Amino acid sequence: MRISVIGCGYVGLVTGTCLAEAGHEVICTDNDPERIASLKAGVVPIYEPYLDAMLAANQRAQRLSFTSDAGETVRAGEAIFICVGTPPLENGEADLSAIDDVARMIATEARESKLVVEKSTVPAQTGQQLKRVLEVYRRNGTVQFRVASNPEFLREGTAVEDFLHPDRIVFGVEDEVSERQLREIYRPILERKFRCSVHMNACPATQPPTLVVTTINSAELIKHASNSFLAMKISFANMIADLCEKVGADIKEVTRAMGMDQRIGPRFLDAGLGFGGFCLPKDVQAFIRLAERSGVDFNMLKEAERVNKEKIRRALWGVKDKQGGVLGLAFKANTDDIRFAPSLDVLRKLLAEGAEVRAYDQEAMDRTSAVFPQVRCCREPYEVAQDADALLILTEWEEFRQLDWKRVHGLMARPLVIDGRNLLNPAAMLESGFEYYCFGRPMESAAAPLVLPQISKTNAVGITA
Ligand code: UDX
């Protein structure tokens, strides 16, 4: 099928490229001509495993193309996927202005009837708004617009695999024609009949994705509810971690046993610095605002948000006028994304306290240097440890778990490690002579009660409880 994608950010690039990989003819546009120029040259402006190779292959196969001509893009596709950003406004509401602009553009540029698909994350009832704008600005009276919602559940770092091997695919539709068209678009993925460059065609024998066909409002709400539930799960684990510190229990043991209950499940129970990234924080806020507008009490979710902010606030260790080392800048492993990353708050605090900051991350250093040019980005983790008075682990990169910690011990001015992702083994770290702090894990000398020892100017770590 001929498919148009509007918005070449994370969601648009993964959606467009994977639908081309599944055999469709996809044309993508974006209002940033530089982004289009680099994509035409095969340069992918984000780090996402498998995406650049798949994008280049589908461009070569002429199944995928990029243009700055939005009108041409609208006219080319039978179905148009709206993948523009819906960033948070000051008040936490989702900013839908880009959706509105795109709807007007589609309404004025279309010459034939179209299926218009919401792929961006939007609050419930946005589809109705979209339909109205398309109707009001429609230039050609013979053109009919059918609107549908098709939320994505992609995680950064595994987005290509998540698109090709989803747990479920959700269609929010108002008529059978739209449902049939979306089934046609997703048939290769639903029937697992596509060439998979993630598994080199040796895909794991998992269940094919479940298709959920529902109303547009329900589909929109499924996305916000799913992300908010994931955020609550993380905050619940972080809350329990606080209790573990008080009663001398081990959060890892507690969540491992909790997760064995299939009703709970083992994932998204990793306690630590809290959740960041461009999705969970903003979707939680937008969902709370939607509930408030609808007169529904969402205190439970507000609490999950408060616990998360509190976790990050309490993780703002200071290394006054000394040398602080930071391992991990991205909001999570396997991505170069630092948007709403807990590391941003920690760096701000360290710099405000006059610390000299060295940092390392295998993917996110360029983006961090653009925000914090005063942070010295190092080529490898050991350079960060050299003469450091404290080492803060902020992202769960596997690389940090594999480090030669005995060597790190020898390099540091003071062997103080604060593990914001519970990545390391407390007993092993203590044995290696480190002062080691983490979340919710009992350790003789280093149980991380929230109030760490006040450290005078001589030993340079001040802690805000
Ligand atoms: C999320 C949703 O998972 C995805 O379905 C949706 O489409 C987009 O938003 P993403 O933002 O890529 O994806 O990140 P995710 O993997 O969900 O992690 C979010 C944050 O939670 C990260 O900061 C991560 O470090 C943190 N996290 C995750 C925890 O602190 N503990 C956990 O157990 C899991």
Side-chain angles (χ1 to χ4, degrees):
M1 190 183 294
R2 293 190 323 280
I3 293 172
S4 311
V5 169
I6 303 180
C8 294
Y10 222 94
V11 173
L13 281 178
V14 173
T15 301
T17 305
C18 289
L19 288 177
E21 180 80 357
H24 299 291
E25 204 185 310
V26 180
I27 179 169
C28 305
T29 191
D30 193 281
N31 58 10
D32 173 354
E34 272 173 39
R35 179 170 279 246
I36 292 297
S38 72
L39 287 163
K40 277 184 169 171
V43 179
V44 179
I46 56 171
Y47 168 81
E48 186 58 44
Y50 307 104
L51 185 61
D52 40 7
M54 195 185 278
L55 187 139
N58 283 283
Q59 275 183 300
R60 277 195 304 278
Q62 298 186 326
R63 274 195 305 270
L64 179 63
S65 60
F66 296 93
T67 175
S68 286
D69 184 336
E72 176 202 345
T73 308
V74 166
R75 288 186 288 278
E78 296 155 60
I80 304 172
F81 281 76
I82 301 180
C83 302
V84 293
T86 54
L89 294 166
E90 278 292 305
N91 66 2
E93 299 260 10
D95 178 355
L96 300 177
S97 57
I99 301 262
D100 204 56
D101 295 345
V102 165
R104 293 172 193 228
M105 188 269 290
I106 294 172
T108 51
E109 293 292 345
R111 303 278 179 278
E112 293 163 355
S113 296
K114 304 283 178 186
L115 173 65
V116 180
V117 185
E118 285 174 338
K119 194 83 179 146
S120 308
T121 300
V122 293
Q125 299 176 323
T126 302
Q128 290 157 16
Q129 219 176 309
L130 179 58
K131 265 179 22 178
R132 265 197 306 280
V133 174
L134 289 166
E135 200 50 42
V136 168
Y137 291 92
R138 183 173 55 150
R139 171 107 21 103
N140 177 330
T142 63
V143 169
Q144 295 301 322
F145 294 113
R146 280 173 286 102
V147 170
S149 167
N150 173 227
E152 53 77 19
F153 304 98
L154 311 176
R155 290 164 299 161
E156 295 188 27
T158 56
V160 171
E161 185 173 358
D162 291 346
F163 194 98
L164 296 175
H165 295 281
D167 297 333
R168 81 284 208 205
I169 296 176
V170 175
F171 296 164
V173 291
E174 294 194 320
D175 55 69
E176 283 177 15
V177 181
S178 305
E179 180 186 339
R180 234 188 347 268
Q181 218 171 344
L182 281 169
R183 278 179 187 273
E184 201 45 44
I185 291 170
Y186 279 95
R187 185 176 305 288
I189 294 172
L190 286 166
E191 298 173 0
R192 299 162 56 91
K193 292 200 180 96
F194 59 88
R195 209 194 41 236
C196 181
S197 44
V198 175
H199 305 108
M200 307 322 278
N201 295 329
C203 303
T206 50
Q207 286 302 310
T210 304
L211 177 58
V212 178
V213 180
T214 180
T215 64
I216 296 178
N217 280 342
S218 297
E220 291 162 335
L221 213 113
I222 287 168
K223 174 59 194 253
H224 268 157
S226 302
N227 267 3
S228 298
F229 186 81
L230 292 174
M232 282 211 308
K233 227 181 155 181
I234 297 167
S235 283
F236 187 83
N238 281 325
M239 202 176 59
I240 302 290
D242 293 349
L243 186 58
C244 285
E245 285 164 18
K246 300 286 183 200
V247 303
D250 184 338
I251 187 66
K252 291 253 183 188
E253 293 298 292
V254 173
T255 52
R256 192 166 70 86
M258 282 172 63
M260 291 172 188
D261 183 327
Q262 288 176 5
R263 295 166 299 173
I264 300 173
R267 297 166 74 186
F268 275 63
L269 287 174
D270 295 333
L273 268 178
F275 57 80
F278 192 62
C279 294
L280 293 196
K282 83 170 169 72
D283 291 349
V284 164
Q285 283 209 349
F287 207 28
I288 290 171
R289 296 294 165 282
L290 172 69
E292 277 169 359
R293 277 206 316 276
S294 318
V296 176
D297 165 357
F298 258 31
N299 281 344
M300 193 194 294
L301 194 51
K302 287 181 185 162
E303 187 55 18
E305 191 184 38
R306 189 196 63 73
V307 167
N308 198 59
K309 288 192 176 139
E310 179 62 15
K311 207 73 195 189
I312 295 172
R313 190 193 67 74
R314 283 195 339 237
L316 295 182
W317 297 286
V319 185
K320 204 159 179 39
D321 306 331
K322 286 287 182 179
Q323 183 181 314
V326 169
L327 293 180
L329 298 162
F331 81 94
K332 67 173 193 178
N334 305 322
T335 177
D336 64 349
D337 199 345
I338 60 168
R339 292 176 294 176
F340 300 92
S343 64
L344 301 178
D345 298 307
V346 174
L347 289 175
R348 227 170 264 121
K349 165 86 180 187
L350 290 171
L351 294 166
E353 293 224 338
E356 184 214 328
V357 181
R358 293 185 187 186
Y360 169 82
D361 186 290
Q362 67 184 351
E363 292 298 340
M365 291 201 284
D366 292 350
R367 292 186 189 278
T368 305
S369 298
V371 182
F372 296 105
Q374 64 276 57
V375 168
R376 184 172 141 200
C377 285
C378 303
R379 277 159 307 164
E380 40 100 41
Y382 299 106
E383 209 181 314
V384 175
Q386 186 67 52
D387 304 326
D389 295 288
L391 213 47
L392 311 175
I393 301 174
L394 304 180
T395 312
E396 61 277 24
W397 288 102
E398 185 55 29
E399 177 185 11
F400 302 146
R401 211 196 298 271
Q402 309 305 331
L403 284 179
D404 173 351
W405 284 96
K406 285 205 168 39
R407 178 176 163 199
V408 170
H409 187 282
L411 292 167
M412 295 183 72
R414 175 184 177 175
L416 169 65
V417 171
I418 299 162
D419 183 354
R421 291 296 175 190
N422 282 355
L423 210 56
L424 307 173
N425 176 317
M429 290 300 282
L430 296 172
E431 244 158 61
S432 309
F434 283 98
E435 285 176 72
Y436 175 75
Y437 298 96
C438 61
F439 286 94
R441 313 208 62 194
M443 285 163 287
E444 286 68 45
S445 71
L450 293 172
V451 182
L452 291 177
Q454 282 304 320
I455 301 184
S456 66
K457 214 160 188 31
T458 49
N459 57 20
V461 177
I463 298 294
T464 50

